[in-house]
Amino acid sequence: MDSEDEEFLKTCPDKVSESDFEKMVETMEKESESNVISLIDTKQLFPEVNHTTMALIYDYWLSKRLSLKIPLLPTIKTGSKDVMPSDPYVAFRKRQEKMLTKKEKSTDCDSALIPLL
């Protein structure tokens, strides 16, 4: 939640708590992973919220998301199939090759039997 969000909540006609607002934005973000959720679907997710208040929050969230051109919640890229293997921003990438263990130094019998002069 940033200062823009706080200013928006002050201008909202119905008093919505910061925690409720954050839960709404988080739920809308999670539902909008591939496609942006519609206002009708959002109203179904939050039936207890007033219709006009939900429309204001949805419009604010959508305009903020579209202006940033990225999702509002940060995500961690994992080594899933949809990510290129050479992408440097992937966290927890699977290893491509089998890890080689350090071989122990083998003692040669001949070197052990060198007579001391």
Side-chain angles (χ1 to χ4, degrees):
M1 187 158 187
D2 57 7
S3 59
E4 291 178 16
D5 297 340
E6 292 173 357
E7 290 298 320
F8 170 75
L9 285 178
K10 288 178 184 176
T11 62
C12 196
D14 290 340
K15 295 299 175 190
V16 178
S17 69
E18 290 181 4
S19 62
D20 290 341
F21 177 75
E22 288 178 346
K23 287 177 188 176
M24 288 181 207
V25 170
E26 182 179 355
T27 304
M28 288 187 285
E29 282 291 324
K30 287 181 180 178
E31 293 291 324
S32 299
E33 286 181 2
S34 58
N35 297 327
V36 176
I37 191 171
S38 68
L39 179 59
I40 297 169
D41 295 335
T42 306
K43 289 177 186 174
Q44 291 175 354
L45 290 173
F46 305 104
E48 69 278 357
V49 180
N50 186 0
H51 173 75
T52 56
T53 304
M54 192 68 236
L56 286 172
I57 293 172
Y58 176 80
D59 290 339
Y60 173 76
W61 166 77
L62 186 61
S63 65
K64 189 170 183 177
R65 182 178 171 141
L66 293 177
S67 68
L68 292 176
K69 298 179 183 175
I70 57 171
L72 299 179
L73 293 178
T75 57
I76 297 176
K77 291 183 180 180
T78 58
S80 60
K81 296 178 182 177
D82 60 337
V83 178
M84 297 294 292
S86 61
D87 188 359
Y89 297 105
V90 174
F92 312 114
R93 183 178 315 154
K94 291 185 179 180
R95 291 191 173 127
Q96 298 294 330
E97 300 174 6
K98 185 177 179 182
M99 187 172 136
L100 299 174
T101 58
K102 184 177 178 182
K103 294 182 181 179
E104 290 185 24
K105 195 176 199 180
S106 63
T107 57
D108 197 5
C109 290
D110 295 335
S111 64
L113 298 176
I114 296 177
L116 297 174
L117 295 175

